[in-house]
Amino acid sequence: MIVQFGSARIELVLGDITVQRVDVIVNAANAQLAGGGGVDGAIHLAAGPEIMEELQRRYPDGCPTGSAVVTSGGNLHSRYVFHAVGPIWQGGGIKESGLLESAYQICLSLAEKHTCRTLAFPSISTGVYRYPVDLAAEIALRTVAVKLETSDQLDLVRFVLFDQGTFGSYARVLETMLI
Ligand code: APR
């Protein structure tokens, strides 16, 4: 599914983010930047040990929730990996939505700063961190769409969704945004 926003487009694909050929791949990391399972594990496995060494060297204090840090792409097809830290879902009462929005916004700003034109996001926080996927999709897609309306740097934001249920949630939200 592809939708045009301003001069750029949002694409939804079902698949594995580690094989995407884009300028930057976003990782769903933890605040310690310590690696883990899910998309984080898959990215580190595909990228090789270089990006973990870079994380430890450049960001020994980790990264706050709602923010992101940059490394090279290691063995991936991308120039950079942005390691974004989404919130752990705790019922919605601890400003999770603002933190998730901020994680996406910071990645989009970093993409502009590093002159990236194409970027791939996973569904941040909706795995181990248990953020309800319908709510997370709404925040992810609206935050990106707002940015694309005014950005002449970005050409493509691709959401790479790992299972049919997550893809379906994002597709339903994106369809409502066309009306
Ligand atoms: N490509 C794209 N998406 C993937 C991939 C992949 N290769 N592998 C998993 N996913 C999907 C999951 O199915 C889920 O929909 O990424 C989404 C986010 O799930 P998690 O990876 O669990 O991320 P998150 O919920 O943000 O939790 C972060 O998990 O592994 C740890 O170190 C990580 O502690 C951090 C926490």
Side-chain angles (χ1 to χ4, degrees):
M1 184 173 181
I2 302 176
V3 176
Q4 197 78 27
F5 284 90
S7 60
R9 61 192 201 277
I10 294 180
E11 227 177 77
L12 306 185
V13 301
L14 186 62
D16 178 357
I17 202 167
T18 64
V19 299
Q20 305 299 315
R21 292 182 182 270
V22 284
D23 294 334
V24 51
I25 284 173
V26 177
N27 183 17
N30 51 60
Q32 296 75 38
L33 302 173
V39 72
D40 198 1
I43 286 175
H44 280 286
L45 190 66
E50 182 185 314
I51 67 168
M52 182 54 83
E53 285 159 20
E54 188 178 345
L55 283 172
Q56 287 168 349
R57 186 176 70 251
R58 293 178 65 186
Y59 312 105
D61 298 329
C63 173
T65 301
S67 191
V69 299
V70 185
T71 65
S72 66
N75 298 329
L76 296 168
H77 302 296
S78 54
R79 278 157 53 206
Y80 302 105
V81 177
F82 296 165
H83 303 262
V85 183
I88 299 171
W89 179 257
Q90 293 179 53
I94 58 136
K95 302 189 169 72
E96 290 99 321
S97 59
L99 291 167
L100 188 60
E101 181 181 0
S102 157
Y104 281 101
Q105 280 170 340
I106 287 178
C107 289
L108 294 163
S109 299
L110 285 172
E112 288 185 317
K113 183 174 166 201
H114 292 274
T115 61
C116 296
R117 306 199 72 82
T118 57
L119 180 152
F121 280 112
S123 178
I124 298 170
S125 282
T126 65
V128 173
Y129 283 179
R130 303 184 314 270
Y131 206 110
V133 64
D134 288 340
L135 301 181
E138 182 91 31
I139 291 166
L141 289 164
R142 289 203 185 279
T143 305
V144 170
V146 165
K147 182 67 178 189
L148 293 186
E149 293 292 352
T150 57
S151 171
D152 43 18
Q153 171 74 51
L154 289 161
D155 288 336
L156 167 71
V157 174
R158 180 180 294 153
F159 285 90
V160 183
L161 306 162
F162 205 51
D163 61 89
Q164 194 69 58
T166 305
F167 181 88
S169 291
Y170 276 70
R172 276 191 299 279
V173 171
L174 192 54
E175 270 160 22
T176 66
M177 289 166 60
L178 302 177
I179 299 163

